[in-house]
């Protein structure tokens, strides 16, 4: 193992003498085994830098196979010597990767302050300063001491560059219980949400960072893929009702450690805990935080322990984005508000789950949207500054009540409160701007959402739809292909892509995408193959008209089947329009209106599939009732 010869390192009250293999604390010898000493020396020699586990194993146990547990035991012993076994004041764990020594280390020349093991440090007898020189020295030290405390930030580790953007990587589960993963993910989500309120920072959204859960990629690679300056890593430990979060901030390009801290609270104060971590990170990156944002992070209300746990389980289910997960999340959120009727976040969870449940096929719009409105307005009554509640209410107003004026107001308010909410930008684009035919603005908002959540298949998918409704079908198709590269198993995307390809006349490719999409969305494979074969036969025997006749027959056959929830009356109306049967097309649109199928209806004034209906008084009347511009 290579080492600088005759070196003494000083950190805090400790001195490490590498030549004599000695560790001193305030001049007194501290007993360490050789391997534990070598572990400390490797950390100290690389202070501030990440030391990978593999590097420890290669240098401490060359040509010997040992388990990582031996290294972990050495680290634990060092922590007991330096502080305590659970502290990360000196040595910070970098999840899945290694360890970092985070206190300032000064390298001394041979003999400079070094003492023999067990001997107290002594002043040199070679030079005795006179009274005048002593007075000058006192003044100089006093001045430097004042300067240090007056300008102490200048002595912080220098930033390699300004930090304007960051990503919070999934926190590591140190609970020792895999079933607590929902709780740890919830802590990650909460930290992202708190930081996202700071408009001076660009904070990457949940979906993109969760792709790195358990990843072995380097921080610089992750930062490059997400386009951020800094990375936040950390761990979560939970013992009974106590929660501890360890967090650290790293400048990603140089892998430079900037800050680390532990926070511990009772579960009832977990929202305060999350706000403290977010505020500390904001201070470290010198982000401009408004007084309102600072106050909000510093003063959350206590929360009922059981209600919060149920809320996190609801979030975990909702993030599955399945019909079953949606139904289960509603159960958990409802239990949470039953436990604590003043818990605003749980009402937000209910509102979001009801809003998405009809898209996922769990509930119909008539069953879900009115409940979403009640939950969202209750959340806002309890906390008017919850951006997520404004977003949920805006979606409900647009998709169910067709009140686009209030929908736009709610969604703009959500963006004002949380400028980094990719979700708020997405819905402002899709549920308001596209419906209002403000297409350039809609595309710009969706690009902002993608910038905040670059690896999210959903955000990229909605950008493809924004292009489609703007009439740019080629760019829409290009964007759909990009989404499929990100997530080949995104069934809803393939179904929407199939509809676009049919509109463009690429029927064979459309049928292939439709078949894949049906299977990925849960259709029995035999059934999906049968549907695709029927469409293909209709096209091959009847051309474009044959395709639309086959599409119409399939839609009428499956529109009421629960496992075919993506076929809606809007789709049937498109097929009738393509076949020239306007009367049937309007009958189908009226059924969609009566059933409050507001998501597809919100785009009929821009959907190219309805261009042959424009100008018909019945179409104008429907647009008026929907509150849409012609």
């Amino acid at each position: 193992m290579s080492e600088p010869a005759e070196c003494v390192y000083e950190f805090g009250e400790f001195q490490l003498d590498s030549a004599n293999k000695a560790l001193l604390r305030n001049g007194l010898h501290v007993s360490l085994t050789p391997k534990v000493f070598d572990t400390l020396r490797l950390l100290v020699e690389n202070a501030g830098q990440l030391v990978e586990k593999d590097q420890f194993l290669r240098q401490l146990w060359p040509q010997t196979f040992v388990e990582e547990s031996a290294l972990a035991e050495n680290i634990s012993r060092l922590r007991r010597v330096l502080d305590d076994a659970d502290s990360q004041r000196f040595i910070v764990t970098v999840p899945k990767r290694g360890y970092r020594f985070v206190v300032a280390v000064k390298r001394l020349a041979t003999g400079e302050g070094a003492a023999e093991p067990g001997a107290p440090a002594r002043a040199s007898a070679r030079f005795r300063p006179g009274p005048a020189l002593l007075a000058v020295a006192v003044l100089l030290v006093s001045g430097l001491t004042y300067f240090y405390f007056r300008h102490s930030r200048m002595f912080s580790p220098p930033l390699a560059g300004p930090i304007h953007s960051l990503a919070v990587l999934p926190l590591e589960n140190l609970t020792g219980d895999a079933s607590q993963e929902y709780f740890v993910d919830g802590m990650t989500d909460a930290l992202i949400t708190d930081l996202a309120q700071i408009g001076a920072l660009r904070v990457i959204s949940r979906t993109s960072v969760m792709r790195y859960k358990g990843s072995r990629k380097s921080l610089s690679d992750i930062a490059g893929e997400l386009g951020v300056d800094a990375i936040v890593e950390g761990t979560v430990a939970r013992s009974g009702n106590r929660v501890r979060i360890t967090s650290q901030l790293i400048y990603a390009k140089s892998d430079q450690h900037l800050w680390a801290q532990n926070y511990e609270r009772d579960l009832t104060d977990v929202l305060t805990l999350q706000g403290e971590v977010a505020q500390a990170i904001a201070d470290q990156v010198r982000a401009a935080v408004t007084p309102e944002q600072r106050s909000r992070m510093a003063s959350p209300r206590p929360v009922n322990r059981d209600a919060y746990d149920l809320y996190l389980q609801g979030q975990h289910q909702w993030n599955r984005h399945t019909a079953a997960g949606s139904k289960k999340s509603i159960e958990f959120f409802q239990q949470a508000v039953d436990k604590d009727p003043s818990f605003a976040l749980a009402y937000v969870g209910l509102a979001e789950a009801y809003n998405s449940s009809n898209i996922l096929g769990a509930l119909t719009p008539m069953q879900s949207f009115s409940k979403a409105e009640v939950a969202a307005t209750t959340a806002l009554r309890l906390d008017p500054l919850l951006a997520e509640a404004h977003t949920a209410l805006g979606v409900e107003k647009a998709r169910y009540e067709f009140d686009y004026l209030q929908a736009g107001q709610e969604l703009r308010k959500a963006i004002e409160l949380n400028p980094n909410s990719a979700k708020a930008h997405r819905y402002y684009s899709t549920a308001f701007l596209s419906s209002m035919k403000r297409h350039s603005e809609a595309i710009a908002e969706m690009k902002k959402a993608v910038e905040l959540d670059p690896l999210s298949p959903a955000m990229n998918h909605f950008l493809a739809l924004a292009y489609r409704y703007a009439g740019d079908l080629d760019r829409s198709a290009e964007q759909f292909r990009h989404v499929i590269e990100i997530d080949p198993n995104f069934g809803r995307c393939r179904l929407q892509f199939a509809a676009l390809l049919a509109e463009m006349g690429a029927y064979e490719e459309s049928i292939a995408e439709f078949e894949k999409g049906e299977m990925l969305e849960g259709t029995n494979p035999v059934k999906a193959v049968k549907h695709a074969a029927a469409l293909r036969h209709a096209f091959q025997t009847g051309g474009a008209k044959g395709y639309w006749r086959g599409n119409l027959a399939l839609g009428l056959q499956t529109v009421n089947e629960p496992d075919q929830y993506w076929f809606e009356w809007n789709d049937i109306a498109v097929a009738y329009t393509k076949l020239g049967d306007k009367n049937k097309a309007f009958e189908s649109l009226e059924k969609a209106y009566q059933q409050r199928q507001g998501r597809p209806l919100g785009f009929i004034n821009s959907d190219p599939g309805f261009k042959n209906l424009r100008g018909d008084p019945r179409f104008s009347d429907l647009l008026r009732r929907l509150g849409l511009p012609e």
Side-chain angles (χ1 to χ4, degrees):
M1 173 175 165
S2 63
E3 60 183 69
E6 303 290 322
C7 252
V8 176
Y9 299 92
E10 187 174 83
F11 50 94
E13 66 268 35
F14 294 94
Q15 286 186 341
L16 184 145
D17 184 346
S18 64
N20 294 309
K21 291 187 176 294
L23 177 67
L24 309 177
R25 183 174 198 164
N26 295 323
L28 300 177
H29 182 70
V30 178
S31 178
L32 293 178
T33 66
K35 285 298 182 189
V36 173
F37 178 86
D38 288 343
T39 304
L40 177 60
R41 180 173 57 182
L42 185 55
L43 284 164
V44 169
E45 289 173 357
N46 294 278
Q49 303 299 313
L50 170 67
V51 183
E52 301 273 0
K53 291 179 181 178
D54 290 345
Q55 185 179 349
F56 279 109
L57 298 177
R58 285 197 310 271
Q59 295 193 224
L60 299 182
W61 293 277
Q63 300 177 334
T64 303
F65 176 79
V66 295
E67 296 287 345
E68 284 187 7
S69 58
L71 171 60
E73 178 60 26
N74 280 1
I75 296 294
S76 179
R77 290 179 182 177
L78 281 176
R79 285 176 172 153
R80 284 195 292 270
V81 167
L82 300 176
D83 196 356
D84 69 70
D86 294 325
S87 173
Q88 296 201 34
R89 184 163 70 93
F90 286 85
I91 303 169
V92 169
T93 301
V94 180
K96 308 292 186 184
R97 300 182 62 195
Y99 303 92
R100 195 190 308 269
F101 199 78
V102 296
V103 298
V105 173
K106 181 180 179 182
R107 182 175 171 180
L108 306 177
T110 304
E112 184 184 340
E116 293 299 321
R122 296 176 298 173
S124 171
R126 292 186 180 181
F127 177 70
R128 294 180 183 276
L133 189 55
L134 278 172
V136 171
V138 169
L139 288 172
L140 180 59
V141 170
S142 298
L144 288 173
T145 302
Y146 169 79
F147 180 81
Y148 176 83
F149 286 107
R150 181 76 175 83
H151 304 279
S152 60
R153 292 183 77 163
M154 295 177 63
F155 289 84
S156 299
L159 293 180
I163 294 177
H164 301 299
S165 56
L166 59 81
V168 180
L169 294 188
L171 301 177
E172 186 180 8
N173 182 1
L174 295 187
T175 65
D177 182 357
S179 69
Q180 290 292 304
E181 206 66 35
Y182 75 90
F183 183 87
V184 177
D185 287 349
M187 296 298 99
T188 304
D189 293 348
L191 183 53
I192 292 171
T193 300
D194 280 346
L195 286 168
Q197 298 176 53
I198 303 171
L201 277 176
R202 179 169 66 88
V203 181
I204 300 300
S205 295
R206 177 192 197 277
T207 308
S208 290
V209 298
M210 280 298 173
R211 292 173 73 93
Y212 295 101
K213 189 168 185 176
S215 172
R216 298 283 295 179
K217 285 188 176 182
S218 70
L219 294 185
S220 58
D221 286 344
I222 294 173
E225 291 173 7
L226 295 175
V228 295
D229 302 318
I231 295 289
V232 175
E233 288 187 314
T235 63
V236 176
R238 180 182 181 184
S239 178
N241 290 319
R242 299 294 290 178
V243 181
R244 172 183 286 184
I245 293 180
T246 297
S247 186
Q248 55 186 325
L249 177 69
I250 298 141
Y251 188 76
K253 292 179 183 177
S254 61
D255 203 24
Q256 181 183 4
H257 179 276
L258 303 178
W259 165 86
Q261 189 59 273
N262 293 332
Y263 297 85
E264 185 171 340
R265 290 268 184 166
D266 188 89
L267 192 56
T268 56
D269 294 321
V270 70
L271 301 183
T272 301
L273 169 67
Q274 294 157 359
E276 287 177 347
V277 178
Q279 182 61 66
I281 293 170
D283 289 344
Q284 291 299 317
V285 301
R286 296 166 172 80
V289 183
T290 67
E292 293 80 6
Q293 292 164 349
R294 190 176 296 274
S295 174
R296 187 160 180 77
M297 285 189 284
S299 307
R301 59 177 289 277
V303 63
N304 178 284
R305 296 169 183 168
D306 294 336
Y308 191 72
D309 199 75
L310 289 163
Y311 164 75
L312 291 182
Q313 292 187 64
Q315 285 289 96
H316 181 72
Q317 292 293 332
W318 185 71
N319 283 320
R320 291 170 57 197
H321 300 296
T322 63
S326 179
K327 287 182 176 180
K328 195 68 179 175
S329 73
I330 289 171
E331 293 177 14
F332 279 119
F333 291 137
Q334 187 60 56
Q335 291 176 53
V337 299
D338 290 343
K339 286 277 186 184
D340 184 356
S342 64
F343 188 15
L345 279 175
Y347 286 104
V348 172
L350 266 179
E352 290 183 327
Y354 278 125
N355 273 341
S356 62
S357 62
N358 66 91
I359 297 173
L360 296 169
L363 298 170
T364 68
M366 299 291 281
Q367 293 170 323
S368 61
F369 272 127
S370 59
K371 294 178 181 177
E373 193 269 342
V374 171
T377 53
T378 303
L380 288 172
R381 177 174 52 79
L382 293 167
D383 187 348
L385 299 181
L386 268 178
E388 297 81 3
H390 286 284
T391 301
L393 185 58
V395 172
E396 187 276 334
K397 291 295 179 185
R399 298 279 169 79
Y400 186 72
E401 298 185 48
F402 308 126
D403 184 349
Y404 288 97
L405 178 63
Q406 187 174 351
Q409 292 172 349
E410 295 294 338
L411 293 166
R412 283 190 294 270
K413 183 64 175 178
I415 292 171
E416 176 189 330
L417 291 168
N418 188 342
N420 285 294
S421 172
K423 191 186 303 179
H425 288 285
R426 162 197 160 179
Y427 282 119
Y428 186 48
S429 171
T430 59
F432 180 71
L433 291 172
S434 284
S435 296
M436 294 295 103
K437 302 190 72 171
R438 292 162 57 178
H439 296 302
S440 60
E441 294 175 75
I443 290 169
E445 283 295 318
M446 273 316 308
K447 285 183 175 179
K448 178 66 175 175
V450 169
E451 182 184 344
L452 292 167
D453 209 351
L455 304 183
S456 164
M459 295 304 166
N460 281 277
H461 167 80
F462 285 108
L463 178 56
L465 289 178
Y467 283 129
R468 179 188 178 190
Y469 296 131
D472 193 341
L473 303 191
D474 289 334
R475 187 165 294 183
S476 179
E478 180 183 344
Q479 182 66 20
F480 271 121
R481 291 190 173 93
H482 175 62
V483 180
I484 292 170
E485 286 178 5
I486 296 174
D487 184 2
N489 297 319
F490 188 3
R492 171 66 66 160
C493 170
R494 288 188 179 272
L495 291 171
Q496 295 276 13
F497 188 28
L500 174 71
L501 290 167
E503 184 63 41
M504 297 174 74
Y507 296 108
E508 288 284 6
E509 189 180 356
S510 171
I511 294 165
E513 288 296 333
F514 179 77
E515 182 177 5
K516 292 174 187 173
E518 279 208 311
M519 288 184 184
L520 290 169
E521 287 295 286
T523 298
N524 182 289
V526 174
K527 191 175 182 180
V529 169
K530 182 180 178 182
H531 289 169
L535 282 174
R536 195 170 288 111
H537 176 75
F539 171 65
Q540 291 172 350
T541 57
K545 288 287 186 183
Y547 168 85
W548 288 110
R549 282 193 292 270
N551 181 281
L552 174 61
L554 184 56
L556 291 171
Q557 171 192 332
T558 61
V559 69
N560 292 317
E561 294 180 8
D563 65 338
Q564 303 291 128
Y565 58 87
W566 49 87
F567 261 119
E568 298 173 290
W569 285 107
N570 191 81
D571 302 301
I572 293 171
V574 169
Y576 275 126
T577 303
K578 293 291 185 180
L579 294 169
D581 192 338
K582 290 186 178 183
N583 291 334
K584 289 289 187 180
F586 281 115
E587 286 179 16
S588 300
L589 287 173
E590 189 61 30
K591 288 180 180 178
Y593 177 78
Q594 294 300 326
Q595 294 180 17
R596 284 297 195 270
Q597 293 178 359
R599 183 187 54 81
L601 284 175
F603 305 115
I604 62 170
N605 59 348
S606 298
D607 192 324
F610 293 116
K611 62 184 178 182
N612 293 336
L613 299 185
R614 290 173 193 144
D616 190 299
R618 291 170 292 181
F619 196 69
S620 298
D621 175 64
L622 180 58
L623 293 179
R624 178 188 57 76
R625 286 183 286 149
L626 289 169
L628 298 174
E630 289 204 52

